[in-house]
Amino acid sequence: EVQLQASGGGLVQPGGSLRLSCAASGFTLDDGVIGWIRQAPGRERELISLISRSDSSTYYADAVKGRFTISDDNAKNTVYLQMNSLKPEDTAVYYCAADSLVRDWRRSGVYGMDYWGKGTQVTVSS
């Protein structure tokens, strides 16, 4: 059974940091595209970062560029999202997802994801 498990969320003060993890089981993350998507209450899902597993090239939404870093660990079959300088507007449920049908993040997006993990809540508040 293919599963993605996101973890690492929590409550953090503005300006703080968190690292989210996305662990895969049932398949390897050697190929395809892995993404982090977030959804705040009353808002649509927002694609915030992608990584192409073939060459580790990355994409960031403007809202998180310079603050968030996506990375991967082949040995652990895990993708990470390091989030620094967090803001209250970063509060959301964060999901990791995989697009197994493309190799380049430029050909992927929220609607291309065919595997989704359960979300992890990130709350940024003082």
Side-chain angles (χ1 to χ4, degrees), residues 10-107:
L11 174 63
V12 64
Q13 292 186 343
S17 298
L18 283 174
R19 188 177 79 156
L20 305 184
S21 300
C22 177
S25 61
F27 74 110
T28 62
L29 296 176
D30 291 346
D31 211 343
V33 173
I34 306 298
W36 286 96
I37 297 99
R38 68 186 181 187
Q39 187 165 24
R43 301 189 66 178
E44 295 186 354
R45 289 180 298 181
E46 178 187 13
L47 177 65
I48 57 173
S49 187
L50 297 167
I51 184 167
S52 298
R53 298 293 291 115
S54 58
D55 62 2
S56 295
S57 60
T58 57
Y59 158 83
Y60 298 96
D62 288 344
V64 305
K65 197 174 295 182
R67 301 187 297 122
F68 291 10
T69 303
I70 190 170
S71 62
D72 52 14
D73 185 329
N74 288 342
K76 295 183 178 180
N77 212 27
T78 300
V79 171
Y80 303 97
L81 186 69
Q82 178 67 42
M83 306 187 296
N84 298 329
S85 302
L86 283 162
K87 305 174 181 180
E89 51 263 44
D90 294 318
T91 295
V93 178
Y94 284 69
Y95 300 89
C96 65
D99 184 343
S100 65
L101 301 181
V102 299
R103 292 170 57 85
D104 188 340
W105 63 260
R106 298 166 187 82
R107 298 171 63 86

